[in-house]
Amino acid sequence: MLADAVLAVMWLGLTCYALFGGADFGAGFWDLLAGGSRRGLPQRKLIEHVIGPVWEANHVWIIFVVVLLWAGFSPVFAAVLSTLYLPLTFTALGIIARGAAFAFRKASTGLGARRLFGGCFAISSVVTPFFLGTVAGAVASGRVPPGLAAGDTVTSWVNPTSALGGVLAVLACAHLSAVYLCADALREERPELAGAFRRRALASGAACGLVAAAGIAVLHADAPRLFTGLTHRALPLVLLSAVGGLAGVVLLVRRRYVAARASAAVAVAAVLWAWGAAQYPLMLVPDTTVAATASHPAVLAACLASLGVGAFLLVPSLWWLYRLFQQDLAAVRSGRDRAGDGRG
């Protein structure tokens, strides 16, 4: 029970990274496709303004997941990192390059430097989730055996399931970001940008659906055990993801952007939990279970206790951070006006 509890908390952290960090990566995707320096400037300014206060905080979740995997399931940690060190190294380099380029672009004044750092930020925002998706595909398709570097360091992540995972990760991040940016644009009183990101959200949502549908054949041929789990035990979550995606499209068409955010988040989160449900109780396919790889119960209990203390400090801080930068712009201006009139 302790191992299952730690695994559930770890999966919750992975979900938070997908929903928050993934949206940041998606913002870089749209930054890449925004257009030339002049035409794309309004969109890039909105992206910088929206993710600037929170992008560093969003990476807390991936650190949380990695540390919890190391402490709670160290044999799995060793197997994954030793077999998949290439895509994980590319992921780490992408995160570093993305953060540095984002900071340097904001501080640069010359057009050439801004273009250079902007290109680095945008490209790394695309390749990083792709490599994370290939890692997920490698684990889900059973290409990471237990032991140190026991799997092939190339074919473990260069295969059809990993490619599917990488493409879906990029598209899901792009869709989340476009949906989130619709409401952000309205809050900043830029309805024309909200319309532009609405079109991008609809297009990326349709692309996600098409790739997911094509992925059925890929999983059937390349990862039959995962396919069976998704079509049996995890089928309710798969259907929930589909319903969330369709509801999000309807809400976007009706310009209900805040509700569309929730639907898009449900669609993405349900996919992650469907993978977990399809593979459980295995940590590594085909026969490495949660119980066999879990740390000593005393270690697991200490992890859960420290997580409780950390959550008491972290969750309110993150909530306040997001609340502070998501508050309604009109309300802020109204408060300033009242203060100016002596009524604040």
Side-chain angles (χ1 to χ4, degrees), residues 128-308:
T128 303
F130 176 82
F131 285 121
L132 283 172
T134 64
V135 170
V139 175
S141 61
R143 289 181 166 90
V144 181
L148 290 176
D152 191 283
T153 58
V154 177
T155 60
S156 58
W157 60 280
V158 181
N159 57 75
T161 302
S162 289
L164 174 65
V167 172
L168 273 178
V170 172
L171 291 175
C173 291
H175 180 63
L176 276 176
S177 181
V179 174
Y180 291 0
L181 285 166
C182 289
D184 291 326
L186 280 187
R187 192 178 66 252
E188 296 298 320
E189 300 181 350
R190 299 297 301 272
E192 74 284 0
L193 292 182
F197 283 113
R198 172 175 169 268
R199 292 188 293 272
R200 287 164 169 77
L202 291 171
S204 57
C208 283
L210 291 173
V211 171
I216 295 174
V218 173
L219 294 181
H220 185 270
D222 191 60
R225 188 157 189 167
L226 176 62
F227 175 82
T228 301
L230 291 174
T231 53
H232 290 80
R233 175 189 296 177
L235 184 59
L237 288 168
V238 173
L239 295 177
L240 176 62
S241 177
V243 170
L246 291 174
V249 169
V250 173
L251 291 168
L252 285 169
V253 171
R254 299 182 61 185
R255 293 177 170 81
R256 301 286 298 276
Y257 297 136
V258 175
R261 281 184 169 187
S263 294
V266 167
V268 173
V271 170
L272 282 175
W273 286 86
W275 169 29
Q279 188 168 316
Y280 184 84
L282 299 176
M283 291 291 285
L284 297 174
V285 178
D287 53 14
T288 304
T289 64
V290 173
T293 57
S295 298
H296 190 277
V299 175
L300 298 176
C303 286
L304 290 173
S306 61
L307 288 173

Side-chain angles (χ1 to χ4, degrees), residues 73 85 258 340:
F73 307 95
Y85 70 89
V258 175

Side-chain angles (χ1 to χ4, degrees), residues 31-42:
D31 189 288
L32 181 65
L33 300 181
S37 301
R38 180 173 298 179
R39 185 167 63 89
L41 183 60

Side-chain angles (χ1 to χ4, degrees), residues 24-33 94 98 119-132 166 169-171 173-174:
D24 283 354
F25 288 129
F29 179 91
W30 298 122
D31 189 288
L32 181 65
L33 300 181
R98 179 180 178 274
C120 182
F121 163 71
I123 293 173
S124 58
S125 295
V126 175
V127 300
T128 303
F130 176 82
F131 285 121
L132 283 172
V170 172
L171 291 175
C173 291

Side-chain angles (χ1 to χ4, degrees), residues 9 25 116 256 267 286 313 322 334:
V9 174
F25 288 129
L116 174 63
R256 301 286 298 276
L313 299 173
Y322 294 128
S334 177

